[in-house]
């Protein structure tokens, strides 16, 4: 019995919670998550995704008369477009920040497209198998890579994709392992595109369709190679030296001078890597917790994984770092309107609010702002004094700490009690940053209380889900 329990515990550590749902675009069926992905960018991406279907149908192809064959081709075109567009989205172009109202929102769409592409990739050979169900020799070529080269390479791409997606959505991987596994996805696109272009009869028959499919394929391949080989060299890169390292209960803070040309707004974040750690060449995202007018910049790193728990605390004054950015539109909801606001942070999610609170002190907007920071206890509220000092500077800013070890987890009922007689929910903007379960639970609670999704803004950079 003890042995079985031990095996179950090990399995729970390896597998993500609710990992089966990770294969499905469940965000589309959740009101709050669905609202967060609506933008000009999402509409443009939708048009790009279906563009090969539009071009294909414009020819009134003969293949459309056979429903099974038509479905096989539909899924083939959608597989190529979803894979290609997803690599294009991964380039982190500054334009995407504006189009999607933040890279975190863009990455939500990126995840949805990745999950949807699984079904297109699998359904394509399934419909081909149905159409050739009477021919065992042809059926085998759709399952085992024993057919012609262009067919076999397509089968191989399906299996590689299944393995990589399973690692992404089902397995608890360290960030750098997860990041490296994503680099291999380009091989799937390379193989799948070759298969589509050289084995597709309609692509060969219709010049505009062939051109457009090749264009999308090349766009995806170029985007993959850009992120794999060139982003770190020619992206928005700045080299800095660490001026100070501070250690708190479960957080390490790094302070460095703001490099010339690195112009950021309160609430934004950056990607960073450290040449000292050659084994960790990935870029890690962290919010900037200082105000733009300050000469120094600060990031706060929670010790929660191998890299952040072991490597980051070893950094010293004088160590070099490469930062890329800035990114993010979280602070725009504060900067671009004068509504009263409720800010809610959970744990390390306080970092963008530290920047926003300082900005509000330096440039008072005379609106009412309440900040609730939920942490385990006073020891983990590593900037409790800093926020209390900001509250003294600004009579319209109120900071409230919430220690879960004494009061339990922060929930919508407790939030309602806190703000009662302080502000009217229907007339405010709510900004949140913290653990996704807390953020989504509170968002749904606010919506039930009459707050529109438009007035609920949160930043979620949980990229490994």
């Amino acid at each position: 019995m003890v042995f079985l329990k031990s095996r179950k515990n090990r399995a729970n550590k390896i597998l993500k919670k609710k990992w089966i749902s990770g294969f499905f675009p469940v965000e589309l069926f959740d009101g709050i998550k669905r609202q967060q992905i609506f933008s000009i960018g999402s509409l443009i991406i939708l048009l790009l995704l279906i563009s090969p279907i539009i071009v294909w149908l414009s020819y009134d192809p003969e293949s459309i008369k056979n429903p099974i064959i038509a479905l096989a081709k539909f899924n083939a075109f959608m597989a190529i477009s979803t894979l290609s567009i997803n690599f294009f989205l991964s380039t982190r172009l500054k334009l995407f920040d504006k189009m999607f109202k933040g890279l975190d929102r863009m990455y939500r769409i990126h995840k949805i497209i990745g999950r949807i592409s699984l079904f297109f990739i699998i359904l394509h050979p399934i419909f081909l198998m149905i159409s050739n169900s009477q021919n065992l020799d042809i059926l085998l070529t759709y399952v085992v890579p024993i057919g012609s080269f262009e067919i076999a390479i397509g089968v191989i791409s399906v299996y590689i994709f299944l393995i990589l997606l399973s690692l992404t959505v089902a397995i608890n991987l360290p960030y750098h392992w997860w990041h490296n596994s994503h680099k291999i996805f380009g091989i799937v696109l390379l193989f799948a595109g070759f298969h589509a272009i050289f084995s597709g009869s309609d692509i060969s028959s219709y010049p505009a369709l062939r051109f457009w499919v090749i264009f999308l394929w090349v766009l995806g391949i170029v985007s993959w190679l850009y992120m794999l080989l060139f982003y770190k060299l020619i992206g928005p890169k700045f080299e800095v030296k660490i001026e100070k390292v501070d250690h708190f209960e479960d957080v390490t803070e790094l302070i460095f001078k703001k490099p010339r040309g690195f112009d950021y707004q309160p609430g934004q974040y950056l990607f960073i890597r450290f040449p000292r750690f050659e084994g960790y060449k990935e870029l890690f995202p962290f919010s900037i917790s200082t105000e733009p007018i300050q000469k120094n910049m600060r990031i706060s790193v929670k010790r929660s994984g191998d890299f952040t728990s072991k490597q980051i605390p070893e950094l010293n004054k004088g160590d070099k770092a490469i930062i890329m950015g800035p990114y993010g539109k979280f602070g725009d909801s504060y900067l671009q309107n004068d509504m009263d606001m409720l800010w809610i942070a959970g744990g390390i999610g306080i970092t963008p609010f530290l920047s926003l609170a300082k900005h509000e002190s330096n440039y008072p907007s005379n609106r009412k702002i309440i900040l609730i920071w939920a942490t385990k206890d006073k020891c983990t509220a590593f900037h409790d004094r800093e926020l209390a000092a900001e509250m003294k500077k600004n009579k319209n800013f109120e900071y409230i700490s919430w220690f879960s070890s004494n009061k339990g987890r922060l929930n919508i009922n407790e939030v309602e009690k806190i703000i009662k007689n302080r502000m009217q929910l229907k007339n405010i903007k709510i900004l949140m940053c913290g653990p996704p379960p807390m953020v989504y639970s509170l968002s749904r609670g606010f919506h039930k209380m009459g707050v529109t999704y438009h007035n609920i803004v949160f930043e979620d950079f949980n990229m490994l889900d």
Side-chain angles (χ1 to χ4, degrees):
M1 192 71 177
V2 174
F3 173 72
L4 290 175
K5 187 175 181 180
S6 176
R7 288 187 64 181
K8 184 177 180 181
N9 289 337
R10 283 199 297 270
N12 289 337
K13 289 181 179 179
I14 296 173
L15 292 175
K16 293 181 179 180
K17 292 181 180 179
K18 301 179 181 179
W19 61 271
I20 294 178
S21 65
F23 289 95
F24 301 91
V26 293
E27 296 91 342
L28 295 176
F29 306 98
D30 186 309
I32 185 66
K33 294 181 181 180
R34 190 169 58 244
Q35 177 67 23
Q36 293 290 314
I37 64 174
F38 284 154
S39 63
I40 295 296
S42 60
L43 293 175
I44 293 173
I45 291 302
L46 178 61
L47 288 173
L48 281 174
L49 289 175
I50 64 174
S51 60
I53 304 299
I54 295 172
V55 177
W56 175 53
L57 292 177
S58 70
Y59 278 101
D60 191 21
E62 188 70 21
S63 55
I64 201 73
K65 296 177 181 178
N66 185 326
I68 301 301
I69 293 296
L71 285 170
K73 291 182 180 293
F74 170 85
N75 283 284
F77 294 136
M78 290 303 297
I80 291 297
S81 66
T82 51
L83 286 171
S84 298
I85 295 305
N86 242 13
F87 275 106
F88 181 51
L89 290 176
S90 71
T91 55
R92 297 177 190 155
L93 297 178
K94 284 295 187 73
L95 178 65
F96 292 163
D97 236 355
K98 296 179 181 178
M99 287 173 55
F100 297 96
K101 301 177 183 178
L103 276 192
D104 62 311
R105 295 189 178 202
M106 183 276 290
Y107 273 113
R108 289 180 202 138
I109 295 172
H110 175 83
K111 292 175 187 177
I112 291 170
I113 294 174
R115 290 163 181 170
I116 291 175
S117 65
L118 168 67
F119 297 96
F120 295 134
I121 288 173
I122 292 177
L123 288 173
H124 170 60
I126 287 177
F127 282 117
L128 288 176
M129 291 169 69
I130 293 173
S131 69
N132 294 277
S133 57
Q134 304 301 317
N135 192 322
L136 182 60
D137 291 336
I138 294 180
L139 279 177
L140 283 175
T141 63
Y142 297 139
V143 180
V144 183
I146 57 175
S148 61
F149 179 74
E150 61 269 20
I151 300 297
I153 207 168
V155 174
I156 292 171
S157 71
V158 172
Y159 288 126
I160 295 175
F161 186 82
L162 284 171
I163 292 170
L164 292 176
L165 191 66
S166 297
L167 289 173
T168 297
V169 304
I171 308 298
N172 280 312
L173 292 175
Y175 178 83
H176 60 287
W177 288 12
W178 170 87
H179 189 271
N180 286 331
S181 72
H182 267 54
K183 296 177 182 178
I184 308 173
F185 271 105
I187 297 174
V188 176
L189 176 60
L190 191 66
F191 286 6
F194 184 91
H195 161 76
I197 293 167
F198 291 98
S199 67
S201 57
D202 283 0
I203 290 179
S204 300
S205 302
Y206 307 126
L209 179 62
R210 183 179 180 83
F211 167 81
W212 192 246
V213 170
I214 291 176
F215 169 77
L216 290 176
W217 182 50
V218 171
L219 177 67
I221 294 298
V222 170
S223 298
W224 170 52
L225 293 175
Y226 169 71
M227 291 304 294
L228 187 68
L229 303 174
F230 302 110
Y231 174 72
K232 293 178 182 177
L233 298 175
I234 62 177
K237 180 177 66 172
F238 301 86
E239 184 175 300
V240 297
K241 280 187 179 181
I242 297 174
E243 298 288 323
K244 187 180 180 184
V245 181
D246 289 327
H247 301 281
F248 299 95
E249 180 79 4
D250 59 350
V251 171
T252 301
E253 285 198 333
L254 308 177
I255 299 170
F256 41 86
K257 287 183 179 179
K258 183 173 72 171
R260 182 179 297 178
F262 191 91
D263 300 317
Y264 68 97
Q265 293 183 329
Q268 288 194 296
Y269 58 88
L270 52 77
F271 287 87
I272 190 167
R273 67 183 178 91
F274 306 94
R276 172 178 171 177
F277 305 125
E278 283 301 317
Y280 293 86
K281 295 184 179 181
E282 297 77 26
L283 291 154
F284 295 80
F286 297 107
S287 292
I288 306 166
S289 58
T290 42
E291 217 270 316
I293 63 171
Q294 293 179 260
K295 293 182 179 180
N296 288 337
M297 295 171 59
R298 178 181 66 190
I299 61 172
S300 306
V301 182
K302 184 175 181 180
R303 296 191 286 274
S304 57
D306 289 343
F307 181 73
T308 54
S309 297
K310 297 176 182 178
Q311 273 67 40
I312 291 292
E314 294 179 1
L315 290 167
N316 298 306
K317 179 180 178 180
D319 283 339
K320 292 182 180 180
I322 306 297
I323 62 173
M324 308 194 79
Y327 295 101
K329 292 291 180 180
F330 183 64
D332 282 7
S333 296
Y334 157 77
L335 294 169
Q336 296 177 1
N337 75 77
D338 57 2
M339 295 174 67
D340 287 350
M341 291 195 161
L342 172 63
W343 298 347
I344 301 178
I348 198 65
I350 192 64
T351 48
F353 293 115
L354 291 170
S355 178
L356 292 171
K358 289 179 180 297
H359 189 273
E360 179 65 19
S361 295
N362 291 326
Y363 305 97
S365 60
N366 298 318
R367 73 181 102 183
K368 178 68 176 177
I369 297 176
I370 296 176
L371 167 62
I372 304 172
W373 184 16
T375 60
K376 181 181 177 181
D377 50 39
K378 193 170 181 63
C379 292
T380 52
F382 56 99
H383 278 307
D384 184 70
R385 290 183 180 178
E386 182 174 311
L387 288 168
E390 297 302 328
M391 186 166 60
K392 290 180 180 179
K393 295 178 187 176
N394 187 348
K395 65 179 181 179
N396 292 316
F397 174 69
E398 184 176 0
Y399 161 59
I400 299 168
S401 57
W402 180 276
F403 302 138
S404 59
S405 59
N406 297 330
K407 303 177 181 179
R409 291 186 177 181
L410 184 66
N411 57 50
I412 192 64
N413 294 326
E414 298 298 340
V415 172
E416 187 179 16
K417 292 176 185 176
I418 291 171
I419 66 172
K420 189 176 182 180
N421 300 324
R422 284 187 169 99
M423 54 175 51
Q424 296 294 319
L425 271 177
K426 294 183 179 180
N427 301 319
I428 65 171
K429 198 91 168 177
I430 300 171
L431 274 64
M432 292 186 286
C433 186
M438 181 196 82
V439 170
Y440 290 130
S441 175
L442 291 175
S443 296
R444 295 185 185 101
F446 286 128
H447 186 62
K448 288 179 181 178
M449 294 168 65
V451 182
T452 63
Y453 284 140
H454 178 73
N455 285 330
I456 302 172
V457 181
F458 56 84
E459 188 166 62
D460 175 13
F461 230 100
N462 195 21
M463 296 172 66
L464 271 63
D465 277 353

